[in-house]
Amino acid sequence: MNRTCAIRSRVRLSVLRALALVLFGAGCGRERAGGDELLIASPHRDEIRSEIEQAFRGWYQRETGRDARPIWLDLGGASNIQKYITDRLQRAPSAGIDILFGGGTDPFETLKRQGNLLAYKLPDDLLNDIPPDLHGMPLYDPDHTWYGTVLSTFGIMYNRVVLRR
């Protein structure tokens, strides 16, 4: 197994537990009759949200015996979400969301520089399973203000017919 696959395997096992600890261990989320409610801002499409939600809800039920009820807020792309959070925090003590999920590292670094993120250090047994970076790309912030939750790959497609034109 190559290094990337080994890291993906270790990270995949740790990610759901880490997400739950960050959200509920840090006091995020609200207990409601329909389940522990999470308000999540994300620029991701429904297919990605659904896959993450299904895995998280199953894991959370097994670990806590309670249901999780993610509420996905549609605030636009990553830069719109970052602006929303910054604007809300200029007027109120809370941005009104529990978690920002997705958007790459840039919004998190900007929010950190603005002082809008709180650090939460994962327990060492989890953190030891996640390397600080993969091929030079950070997987979490060294000050523990954000953690990557998935490893993604991107490709480029092109249409040969259009390219010839």
Side-chain angles (χ1 to χ4, degrees):
M1 181 183 305
N2 67 35
R3 181 174 185 259
T4 301
C5 289
I7 290 170
R8 280 187 182 153
S9 180
R10 287 195 333 250
V11 170
R12 188 180 311 123
L13 294 172
S14 300
V15 130
L16 295 175
R17 183 171 167 221
L19 184 58
L21 284 170
V22 169
L23 295 175
F24 291 101
C28 294
R30 285 155 295 287
E31 291 185 33
R32 300 267 196 249
D36 293 344
E37 187 177 274
L38 294 169
L39 299 176
I40 305 171
S42 175
H44 289 106
R45 299 176 1 184
D46 288 342
E47 294 85 0
I48 293 171
R49 293 176 182 188
S50 176
E51 187 173 325
I52 295 296
E53 179 176 331
Q54 181 181 4
F56 176 71
R57 290 180 81 172
W59 179 90
Y60 190 74
Q61 176 67 42
R62 286 188 304 277
E63 291 295 314
T64 69
R66 299 192 316 261
D67 291 324
R69 197 174 128 227
I71 298 172
W72 297 92
L73 305 173
D74 186 359
L75 302 173
S79 60
N80 289 350
I81 295 170
Q82 177 188 319
K83 183 178 178 343
Y84 172 87
I85 292 170
T86 301
D87 291 348
R88 285 283 305 256
L89 290 174
Q90 289 175 351
R91 297 188 315 263
S94 171
I97 64 171
D98 296 315
I99 189 169
L100 166 55
F101 175 69
T105 58
D106 291 343
F108 293 96
E109 288 299 325
T110 299
L111 291 167
K112 177 184 173 181
R113 276 193 308 276
Q114 294 170 341
N116 292 332
L117 298 180
L118 296 175
Y120 178 82
K121 185 176 182 284
L122 292 174
D124 287 335
D125 67 317
L126 269 178
L127 200 54
N128 292 337
D129 282 342
I130 306 170
D133 68 78
L134 179 62
H135 304 296
M137 187 65 171
L139 297 180
Y140 61 88
D141 175 56
D143 297 326
H144 309 288
T145 59
W146 60 264
Y147 296 87
T149 57
V150 294
L151 298 175
S152 299
T153 56
F154 297 91
I156 298 175
M157 280 182 30
Y158 64 93
N159 183 324
R160 291 176 189 225
V161 173
V162 173
L163 184 63
R164 279 193 297 270
R165 284 188 219 155

